[in-house]
C-alpha cells in the first residue's frame, strides 16, 4: 500500500499540488497533502504494461489497452470497490458525472471510472447513473490494472474478493501526476 511520502520506483519525488475533490456532491479545490509523483520513465512503464481494461459498447465488451487509453491526453481516473455499491452510487460516481464539465474546463480530456467488475456490470451502472459521454466506465474484471498499480484490497471478508481501493489519479500523456488514496476505506462524508 502506498502512503504519502513513500515511493515505489526509482526517480519518484513528492510534490505539493492542488487537488479536485467532491464533497457532498460539490466540486472543491483543496490543497493536496503530499502526493506521489513519478518521473516519466517509471510511471509510463507501469501504466503501459498495466493491463487491458474492458468497456461496454453498442457491439458488446471492447478491450481498452491502458497504454492507448492514457496516451496523448490528460486523464482523470477514479477507482471504486464496486459498481452499484451504496457509497459509490450515491456519492462518488454522481459527483464526477455532475462535475465533468468543470473538470474538462480545467484541461482534462477524459474522465473514467474503474472498478473490479465486468464490462456488462460497468455498462449497466453507467447507464443507471447517466454517465453518458461524461465518464467512461472501465472494467478491470481480473483486477490486473488494479494490482499493477498496487491499489487492490481484499474484500473476501464481506464476499467481494479482490477489489480496488478508492482512489483518483491524474495522468498526463501516460505520466502519473497526482495520486489520491482514500484515507477512510468504507466510509463516506455526508
Amino acid at each position: 500500500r502506498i502512503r504519502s511520502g513513500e515511493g515505489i520506483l526509482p526517480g519518484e519525488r513528492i510534490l505539493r499540488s492542488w487537488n479536485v475533490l467532491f464533497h457532498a456532491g460539490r466540486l472543491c479545490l483543496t490543497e493536496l497533502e503530499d502526493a506521489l509523483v513519478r518521473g516519466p520513465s517509471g510511471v509510463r512503464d507501469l501504466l503501459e504494461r498495466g493491463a487491458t481494461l474492458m468497456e461496454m459498447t453498442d457491439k458488446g465488451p471492447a478491450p481498452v489497452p491502458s497504454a492507448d487509453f492514457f496516451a496523448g491526453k490528460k486523464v482523470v481516473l477514479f477507482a471504486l470497490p464496486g459498481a452499484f455499491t451504496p457509497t459509490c452510487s450515491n456519492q462518488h460516481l454522481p459527483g464526477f458525472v455532475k462535475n465533468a464539465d468543470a473538470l474538462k474546463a480545467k484541461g482534462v480530456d477524459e474522465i473514467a471510472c474503474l472498478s473490479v467488475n465486468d464490462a456488462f456490470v460497468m455498462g449497466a451502472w453507467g447507464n443507471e447513473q447517466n454517465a453518458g459521454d461524461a465518464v467512461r466506465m472501465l472494467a478491470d474484471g481480473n483486477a490486473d490494472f488494479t494490482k499493477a498499480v498496487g491499489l487492490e484490497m481484499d474484500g473476501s471478508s464481506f464476499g467481494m474478493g479482490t477489489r480496488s481501493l478508492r482512489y483518483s489519479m491524474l495522468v498526463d500523456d501516460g505520466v502519473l501526476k497526482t495520486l489520491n488514496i482514500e484515507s477512510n476505506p468504507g466510509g463516506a462524508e455526508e
Side-chain angles (χ1 to χ4, degrees), residues 1-100:
R1 190 175 295 193
I2 301 169
R3 288 190 303 267
S4 180
E6 293 181 355
I8 294 177
L9 300 173
E12 292 177 336
R13 59 192 171 88
I14 304 301
L15 172 74
R16 203 152 188 74
S17 65
W18 290 90
N19 182 29
V20 176
L21 293 177
F22 295 102
H23 177 69
R26 291 186 307 275
L27 180 67
C28 305
L29 283 177
T30 60
E31 191 171 0
L32 178 68
E33 58 279 357
D34 294 333
L36 179 64
V37 178
R38 299 180 183 149
S41 61
V43 169
R44 185 177 305 274
D45 291 346
L46 181 62
L47 293 175
E48 284 180 358
R49 72 171 185 265
T52 297
L53 303 167
M54 298 296 288
E55 181 175 33
M56 184 53 74
T57 69
D58 293 338
K59 296 178 182 179
V64 180
S66 59
D68 297 342
F69 181 69
F70 291 111
K73 57 190 166 192
K74 190 177 288 188
V75 177
V76 167
L77 175 79
F78 65 101
L80 312 163
F84 294 103
T85 57
T87 303
C88 301
S89 293
N90 294 330
Q91 293 185 10
H92 300 123
L93 179 54
F96 280 95
V97 171
K98 179 180 176 184
N99 292 290

Side-chain angles (χ1 to χ4, degrees), residues 93-109:
L93 179 54
F96 280 95
V97 171
K98 179 180 176 184
N99 292 290
D101 289 339
L103 286 170
K104 290 180 180 181
K106 300 275 185 196
V108 171
D109 299 304

Side-chain angles (χ1 to χ4, degrees), residues 82-89 117 120-129:
F84 294 103
T85 57
T87 303
C88 301
S89 293
N117 289 110
F120 295 97
V121 169
M122 292 299 288
W125 191 39
N127 289 338
E128 182 199 71
Q129 293 285 321

Side-chain angles (χ1 to χ4, degrees), residues 89-162:
S89 293
N90 294 330
Q91 293 185 10
H92 300 123
L93 179 54
F96 280 95
V97 171
K98 179 180 176 184
N99 292 290
D101 289 339
L103 286 170
K104 290 180 180 181
K106 300 275 185 196
V108 171
D109 299 304
E110 189 120 45
I111 303 165
C113 175
L114 179 139
S115 187
V116 180
N117 289 110
D118 62 65
F120 295 97
V121 169
M122 292 299 288
W125 191 39
N127 289 338
E128 182 199 71
Q129 293 285 321
N130 299 311
D133 293 330
V135 176
R136 288 181 68 177
M137 304 299 289
L138 301 178
D140 187 16
N142 296 321
D144 294 335
F145 181 86
T146 299
K147 290 175 183 176
V149 296
L151 294 171
E152 74 274 9
M153 67 170 212
D154 182 1
S156 300
S157 63
F158 40 93
M160 294 178 75
T162 300

